[in-house]
Every structure is written in C-alpha cells, then in structure tokens.
Amino acid sequence: MAQSEMNTPNLPQPGAVLFAKDLPRVARFYEGVVGLVVVATESDHIVLERPHFQLVLHGIPQKIAASISITSPPQLREAVPVKLVFPVASLAAARAMAPALGGGLSPTSKEWEARGFRACDGYDPEGNVVQFREAVA
C-alpha cells in the first residue's frame, strides 16, 4: 500500500471480526470492559466501535452453535492464531468489571510491562483470550 493510501481519510477504519454464540452477551462484555459502543445491530451480527477501531461480532451459524457448549467460567480458547488487544484506562478496573460481564483477567502476578504499557491477558464470556493494556505513567 502506498504511503498516500495509508493517510487517506476515506478508508474504512481497522477492525476485527469475532465469531460468537451469544452476540448480546459478548457485546455487553466489550462495551463494559473495553468501552466499545454498539453502532449497529442485525440478527446475525453486532458492530461495536471506538475511535480508530471496529469490532464486528458475527453470529456462529445455528447448526454449528448448537454443538458448542459455553461453560462458566468458559473454557479458554488459547490455541488460536490471533489474540485481540485492547487499551483500557485501568487494568484494575477491567479486572473488577469483567466477572460481572462473564469474563475475567488473570491475577496481577501475571501482568507485565513493555514499551510504555502494562499488559494482562484475560478472556471474554465465550473464552476468547484477550490482552488488555494500560498506559504506564
């Protein structure tokens, strides 16, 4: 991609598509913990955004979803080639809020620092592993 294309304001914003069994529940998690805002809801997907990023939650087809069991807490989906990363204002606040929304964060002993941020892995209500990052003062 040419440098001029990267600076074009008319390009769609970057984002990710995440497949989910329970769209409303997973959307509430990303709204509450990450601060994404629902901008569109259809029967088979929900679109959440924040400046410069869009997350599309796409429903798993019913035939496949019927064979998927979500435990509580969910079994973590660690053997996948992608992990979403979201900045949060506070890891402590995200850790406190996540369980009420069906997810969780690893304990503070699992946090680590690099390049001006502190990070900690966690998971959403369906077991997708997510990394959360807060700025280090």
Side-chain angles (χ1 to χ4, degrees):
M1 176 182 309
Q3 182 66 32
S4 62
E5 288 180 31
M6 294 189 324
N7 296 327
T8 303
N10 294 331
L11 288 177
Q13 62 185 330
V17 176
L18 182 64
F19 289 86
K21 182 174 179 176
D22 186 340
L23 292 177
R25 183 173 191 217
V26 176
R28 283 190 301 276
F29 176 84
Y30 287 103
E31 280 182 295
V33 177
V34 180
L36 294 172
V37 176
V38 173
V39 297
T41 301
E42 299 292 334
S43 63
D44 64 345
H45 69 278
I46 296 175
V47 180
L48 300 104
E49 292 183 352
R50 65 190 284 173
H52 313 294
F53 185 78
Q54 180 181 84
L55 178 64
V56 178
L57 300 176
H58 197 290
I60 297 172
Q62 187 59 35
K63 189 181 280 188
I64 297 169
S67 68
I68 297 172
S69 175
I70 305 295
T71 60
S72 183
Q75 182 176 355
L76 300 187
R77 297 177 182 162
E78 297 174 302
V80 296
V82 174
K83 181 191 303 184
L84 297 175
V85 176
F86 289 104
V88 294
S90 162
L91 290 175
R95 184 175 286 108
M97 184 180 298
L101 297 169
L105 269 74
S106 296
T108 57
S109 62
K110 299 286 188 175
E111 292 179 5
W112 54 275
E113 289 187 24
R115 300 178 309 281
F117 63 84
R118 180 176 295 110
C120 190
D121 284 352
Y123 58 90
D124 71 15
E126 296 197 358
N128 297 298
V129 176
V130 181
Q131 185 176 102
F132 300 96
R133 294 179 178 177
E134 71 179 7
V136 175

